[in-house]
């Protein structure tokens, strides 16, 4: 690795030897220098720092001292082979508004990376940096803690995500742009968009979505600022389950390029535009929401059984005297029958009574 700058001999406001600086533009670029640590002698005037293409394996606490970088507002750390962002690593940057961690193979992301208090961060890019499931869960914990409540733009594209942690976005009231494109999302059932009243743009293109359920569509309808939803290049399955999505597409003006959305399955529907689908194409003879239908059936069956039980108890109550008499008759008949068996047992058990019985028969 290239040695870092001049250390204490360097005058305040000067530029590290391994970087390019522009005081007029308030910009410092330390690009592709194989650096393994952030230079400690960055000029205090810097507002935009490009530290990319290096070999920064970890970002420890205090990597950016606040007293030296009071005005740093944009920090690009993309493509640095970064694997760990430790607690407090980004806490001492009071003016930080934009952070780019894209293209780093993160395996550890501390939920306390921005400290315990709130952060002024407004834009966070993590394109291709969340391949590890543990890092995704850590990010979800960080977002849910409320430390990034000022976040207005969140980029999570190119991460191969299959499912998102439940409630991941519930503590982001200022979020306006959410990019989930080029992942492998198969559904949004556990994703809540409630509370995102400022959300304007949602990119779900280039995923593996086969259908959007009523619950998700209802959330979209309830977001007053949402004006641009991208759904292109998903594997839409055009069966009866897609009826609600088609109806929503026809009435909504939120979906960008909805005319180009086409069916991927089944084969007979391949390439057909979703907006041109009608009931005859789907031939829905089976209820669309089978679990809901089953639940309704179970409730109805329970009501019927309860009614039958109530009628049965009422009949028993009204006929209680007759039932009591019938029970007494059965008891008397059983008693007479048992006495006959008892009498025969006594005769069979006593030889003298047996002989007497035999003589009587003769």
């Amino acid at each position: 690795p290239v040695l870092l700058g001049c250390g204490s001999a360097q005058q305040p406001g000067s530029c590290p030897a391994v970087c390019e600086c522009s005081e007029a533009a308030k910009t410092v670029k330390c690009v592709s220098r194989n650096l393994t640590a952030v230079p400690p002698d960055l000029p205090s005037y810097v507002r935009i720092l490009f530290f990319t293409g290096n070999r920064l394996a970890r970002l420890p606490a205090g990597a950016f001292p606040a007293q030296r970088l009071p005005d740093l507002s944009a920090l690009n750390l993309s493509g640095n082979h970064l694997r760990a962002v430790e607690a407090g690593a980004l806490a001492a940057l009071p003016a930080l508004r934009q952070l780019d961690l894209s293209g780093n193979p993160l395996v550890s992301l501390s939920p306390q990376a921005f400290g315990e208090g709130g952060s002024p961060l407004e834009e966070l890019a993590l394109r291709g940096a969340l391949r590890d499931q543990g890092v995704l869960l850590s990010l979800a914990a960080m977002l849910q803690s409320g430390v990034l409540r000022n976040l207005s733009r969140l980029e999570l594209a190119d991460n191969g995500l299959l499912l998102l942690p439940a409630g991941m976005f519930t503590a982001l009231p200022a979020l306006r742009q959410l990019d989930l494109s080029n992942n492998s999302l198969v559904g949004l059932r556990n994703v809540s968009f409630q509370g995102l009243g400022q959300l304007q743009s949602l990119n779900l293109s280039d995923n593996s979505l086969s259908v959007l359920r009523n619950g998700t569509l209802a959330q979209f309808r309830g977001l007053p600022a949402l004006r641009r939803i991208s759904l292109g290049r998903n594997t839409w399955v055009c069966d009866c389950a897609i009826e609600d999505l088609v109806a929503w597409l026809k009435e909504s003006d939120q979906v960008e390029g909805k005319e180009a959305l086409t069916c991927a399955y089944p084969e007979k529907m391949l390439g057909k535009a979703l907006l041109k689908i009608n009931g005859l194409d789907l031939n829905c003879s089976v209820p669309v929401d089978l679990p809901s239908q089953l639940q309704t059936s179970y409730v109805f069956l329970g009501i019927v059984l309860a009614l039958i039980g109530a009628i049965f108890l009422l009949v028993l109550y009204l006929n209680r005297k007759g039932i009591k008499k019938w029970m007494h008759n059965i008891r008397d008949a059983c008693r007479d029958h048992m006495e006959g068996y008892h009498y025969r047992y006594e005769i069979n058990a006593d030889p003298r009574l047996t002989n007497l019985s035999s003589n009587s028969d003769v």
Side-chain angles (χ1 to χ4, degrees):
V2 177
L3 295 176
L4 301 182
C6 303
S8 58
Q10 198 168 7
Q11 297 297 321
S14 59
C15 184
V18 293
C19 303
E20 299 176 6
C21 306
S22 172
E23 187 172 1
K26 310 295 183 184
T27 300
V28 174
K29 296 181 179 180
C30 309
V31 178
S32 300
R33 296 300 183 94
N34 284 329
L35 301 177
T36 58
V38 178
D41 49 357
L42 293 171
S44 59
Y45 62 73
V46 60
R47 293 184 181 177
I48 304 174
L49 173 60
F50 291 92
F51 191 89
T52 63
N54 293 293
R55 306 193 67 83
L56 186 66
R58 55 185 286 269
L59 198 64
F64 301 96
Q67 64 272 20
R68 295 295 306 276
L69 304 172
D71 299 323
L72 182 62
S73 61
L75 175 60
N76 191 332
L77 295 172
S78 61
N80 276 306
H81 302 277
L82 188 62
R83 296 178 63 82
V85 179
E86 300 177 3
L90 300 163
L93 295 174
L96 188 63
R97 299 293 187 273
Q98 301 173 350
L99 174 64
D100 192 344
L101 291 170
S102 300
N104 288 295
L106 293 176
V107 295
S108 175
L109 175 63
S110 172
Q112 291 79 40
F114 292 91
E116 299 293 338
S119 169
L121 193 69
E122 296 176 357
E123 299 183 14
L124 176 59
L126 290 162
R127 181 180 290 269
L130 301 177
R131 298 286 176 171
D132 185 275
Q133 181 67 17
V135 175
L136 176 62
L137 296 177
S138 296
L139 174 65
M142 178 191 295
L143 298 178
Q144 291 170 331
S145 71
V147 69
L148 297 180
R149 293 183 62 83
N150 295 313
L151 206 62
S152 64
R153 183 174 181 271
L154 179 59
E155 185 176 346
L156 303 177
D158 302 334
N159 284 304
L161 304 177
L162 289 172
L163 295 171
L164 296 174
M168 184 173 180
F169 308 120
T170 54
L172 300 175
L175 193 65
R176 299 191 178 194
Q177 299 178 19
L178 178 57
D179 188 355
L180 294 167
S181 64
N182 200 27
N183 283 294
S184 301
L185 294 174
V186 295
L188 298 174
R189 276 195 167 188
N190 66 325
V191 181
S192 175
F193 297 99
Q194 295 180 353
L196 302 182
Q198 303 297 320
L199 189 65
Q200 299 175 355
S201 173
L202 175 61
N203 192 345
L204 292 167
S205 60
D206 291 290
N207 276 284
S208 299
L209 297 172
S210 60
V211 69
L212 294 180
R213 303 287 179 178
N214 254 335
T216 301
L217 300 178
Q219 290 189 61
F220 289 164
R221 293 189 186 98
L223 297 176
L226 187 57
R227 290 292 177 267
R228 187 167 67 255
I229 304 176
S230 300
L231 296 173
R233 296 176 296 282
N234 278 281
T235 54
W236 304 113
V237 176
C238 295
D239 57 15
C240 293
I242 207 168
E243 280 189 315
D244 294 328
L245 173 59
V246 171
W248 174 71
L249 287 174
K250 291 179 179 180
E251 70 179 27
S252 174
D253 59 354
Q254 296 173 302
V255 182
E256 191 175 53
K258 61 183 180 180
E259 297 80 8
L261 301 181
T262 59
C263 302
Y265 301 100
E267 186 175 353
K268 67 176 183 178
M269 300 287 285
L270 180 63
K272 187 176 181 65
L274 266 60
L275 288 178
K276 295 183 179 180
I277 293 176
N278 54 49
L280 295 177
D281 294 324
L282 301 176
N283 190 24
C284 297
S285 57
V286 180
V288 175
D289 194 353
L290 188 56
S292 177
Q293 295 290 334
L294 289 175
Q295 184 177 7
T296 303
S297 300
Y298 291 146
V299 172
F300 180 74
L301 179 61
I303 294 174
V304 171
L305 292 176
L307 183 60
I308 293 174
I311 294 174
F312 179 72
L313 292 174
L314 180 62
V315 171
L316 289 179
Y317 177 76
L318 295 176
N319 293 277
R320 61 189 182 279
K321 293 182 179 180
I323 293 172
K324 184 177 181 180
K325 182 179 180 181
W326 177 70
M327 292 295 291
H328 287 164
N329 292 338
I330 291 178
R331 184 191 64 186
D332 294 341
C334 290
R335 183 172 57 192
D336 293 342
H337 195 62
M338 291 302 295
E339 286 179 352
Y341 272 115
H342 182 66
Y343 175 73
R344 292 180 62 183
Y345 173 75
E346 289 180 346
I347 293 176
N348 293 334
D350 192 336
R352 294 173 298 175
L353 294 176
T354 304
N355 292 334
L356 178 60
S357 178
S358 298
N359 295 334
S360 298
D361 292 343
V362 173

